[in-house]
Amino acid sequence: MARPKQVITRDVEVRVRFTPLEKKAVALMAEKVGLSLSEYIRQAAFNREMKMRFTTEELNLYKQLHIFRNNFAAIANLVKSRTESTELLIAIIQLKEEMEAHLKKFQ
């Protein structure tokens, strides 16, 4: 039998004072990572890593880059099997590897 899920109640209040500009800056940072202001401040207090969320445009670009990388891999395989042009093959493989390195940054 599974153990019941522990319910965390946050009923202790801590007050923090910000200038209006500081509050706006912190609220914008919280919005960028998709957290509420309270949750963002809690995460920051414990030095937890907060990853920024992607916009829909950024996600679409990431998907396109992934498709391009796959296409260049296929082109490299085709060139490798059909010709002896090592310069072209090296250039294609380098481009594919650069795309892979960039995609790994976002995983």
Side-chain angles (χ1 to χ4, degrees), residues 16-27 37:
V16 179
R17 292 187 177 270
F18 291 113
T19 65
L21 186 60
E22 288 172 334
K23 182 182 178 193
K24 192 169 196 164
V26 173
L37 184 60

Side-chain angles (χ1 to χ4, degrees), residues 40-77:
Y40 181 82
I41 293 170
R42 259 193 299 281
Q43 298 290 329
F46 293 111
N47 278 340
R48 294 190 181 137
E49 184 179 344
M50 294 174 273
K51 294 185 179 183
M52 295 186 65
R53 293 195 177 177
F54 296 117
T55 64
T56 54
E57 183 181 343
E58 289 170 329
L59 282 174
N60 289 335
L61 290 172
Y62 175 80
K63 289 175 186 177
Q64 270 187 314
L65 184 61
H66 191 69
I67 291 168
F68 289 157
R69 180 244 164 246
N70 289 342
N71 290 341
F72 274 95
I75 292 168
N77 290 335

Side-chain angles (χ1 to χ4, degrees), residues 76-90:
N77 290 335
L78 183 64
V79 169
K80 193 184 310 181
S81 67
R82 299 229 175 150
T83 67
E84 298 298 321
S85 175
T86 57
E87 291 177 14
L88 178 61
L89 182 59
I90 290 170

